[in-house]
Amino acid sequence: MELRIFTEPQQGASYDQLLAVARRAEETGFGAFFRSDHYLKMGSVSGDPGPTDAWTTLAGLARDTTRIRLGTLMTAATFRLPGPLAITVAQVDQMSGGRVELGIGTGWFAEEHTAYGIPFPPLGERFDRLEEQLAVITGLWETPAGATFDFPGKYYPVSDSPALPKPVQQPRPPILLGGMGPKRTPRLAARYADEFNLPFASVEDSAAQFRRVRDACAEVGRDPSGMTWSNALVLCCGRDDAEVARRAAAIGREPAELRENGAAGTPAEVVDKLGRYAEIGSERVYLQVLDLADLDHLELVAAEVLRQV
């Protein structure tokens, strides 16, 4: 199982803090550094010094790291037009030497849209727009050099596009989709996703949704073994109960709740939890790190968990 680091910078993080986490993750052997794409903090935290843009951050990290893969869980389709987003991701892929992955979803946090003047259509329209965005983004990237791309979309019609720039990764950077939607989510994943991710879902709920996506793959004649299956879990690991409790308190959570719902406890407990996800086919777990100042947390997991999974 591959372990990746996942951060939530809208809760309060500067670029330098994110860079420190990304570099430590790279040095200690984690597979990737991912970040959320949100413009408003959640809960009682201050959120200081304010939000940072996901793709601006990843562009910086593309130049300030050398090996670790970089991406979003999940870019909100409501935030960006598909053509400019395809250009941005392709450019960051070039800047990184081909290390970028695009996680994208409908967007769900209404308050951040009203806080920054971003339109927030009803859910059905957001799915319609996401489907068109996926068609446009993949179409632009996969158009052969020298050819043009057209798309007769309702929301994002494209005409005579040169479909440039091209990403380094061919035919395109990996696309991640996810979520628990029972119908449209599996269908979109079967058509477009290289990886299907479930954030903060139980083993049982993950297994059920993985089955729905596999069924959707079968309906379109796709071999589901070509898709990567993953989860995201909050991380709270300590050498003993006291260290677990200290790290839980630092992020405002209870150890018992984290042990139930996250990757929490001693290294042995975390390995056991990850093993349960592996049993249902999860190949990759994004460990949500909420205390970005605690770099020793990454060191512990790299030394005591990473080598066992």
Side-chain angles (χ1 to χ4, degrees), residues 91-214:
Q91 182 180 4
V92 178
D93 197 49
Q94 292 173 357
M95 293 168 68
S96 70
R99 294 184 283 128
V100 160
E101 305 182 13
L102 172 62
I104 187 169
T106 59
W108 61 269
F109 189 19
E111 289 82 355
E112 69 184 337
H113 292 75
T114 57
Y116 287 97
I118 304 168
F120 189 65
L123 180 60
E125 182 180 332
R126 297 203 308 277
F127 264 105
D128 292 341
R129 287 177 176 271
L130 173 62
E131 186 166 5
E132 286 199 12
Q133 288 221 0
L134 288 163
V136 171
I137 292 167
T138 58
L140 289 169
W141 286 342
E142 294 175 3
T143 295
T148 59
F149 174 72
D150 297 274
F151 177 74
K154 175 181 178 181
Y155 300 102
Y156 308 110
V158 176
S159 178
D160 200 30
S161 173
L164 297 172
K166 297 301 186 193
V168 171
Q169 298 174 89
Q170 289 296 314
R172 56 175 170 75
I175 289 178
L176 289 73
L177 297 175
M180 289 298 298
K183 295 180 180 179
R184 295 193 70 175
T185 296
R187 288 200 298 266
L188 283 178
R191 184 173 178 185
Y192 291 107
D194 300 288
E195 178 176 340
F196 187 76
N197 176 267
L198 285 175
F200 319 118
S202 69
V203 172
E204 294 75 20
D205 288 344
S206 296
Q209 185 69 338
F210 286 172
R211 282 194 296 272
R212 294 185 193 102
V213 177
R214 290 189 178 99

Side-chain angles (χ1 to χ4, degrees), residues 294-307:
D294 187 4
L295 298 182
D296 289 342
H297 200 183
L298 302 188
E299 297 277 0
L300 173 64
V301 175
E304 301 296 333
V305 176
L306 191 58
R307 62 184 178 82

Side-chain angles (χ1 to χ4, degrees), residues 16 24 55 67 79 115 117 131 137 140 150 157 213 240 253 257 263-264 282 289 292 297 307-308:
D16 286 342
R24 189 64 60 89
W55 286 100
R67 299 184 306 278
F79 289 177
E131 186 166 5
I137 292 167
L140 289 169
D150 297 274
V213 177
D240 52 34
R253 304 280 285 271
E257 178 268 324
S282 188
V289 175
L292 300 182
H297 200 183
R307 62 184 178 82
Q308 297 190 61

Side-chain angles (χ1 to χ4, degrees), residues 13-87:
S14 67
Y15 176 76
D16 286 342
Q17 286 176 302
L18 295 171
L19 174 59
V21 175
R23 282 180 168 166
R24 189 64 60 89
E26 182 172 71
E27 292 163 1
T28 51
F30 290 95
F33 174 92
F34 271 56
R35 61 155 290 167
S36 61
D37 191 6
H38 286 296
Y39 290 140
L40 193 68
K41 60 101 171 177
M42 302 167 194
S44 60
V45 300
S46 71
D48 292 340
T52 52
D53 181 79
W55 286 100
T56 301
T57 298
L58 295 177
L61 294 176
R63 308 303 285 181
D64 286 340
T65 61
T66 59
R67 299 184 306 278
I68 198 165
R69 296 190 66 79
L70 305 166
T72 49
L73 284 181
M74 297 283 193
T75 281
T78 50
F79 289 177
R80 299 167 180 87
L81 300 172
L85 180 58
I87 291 170

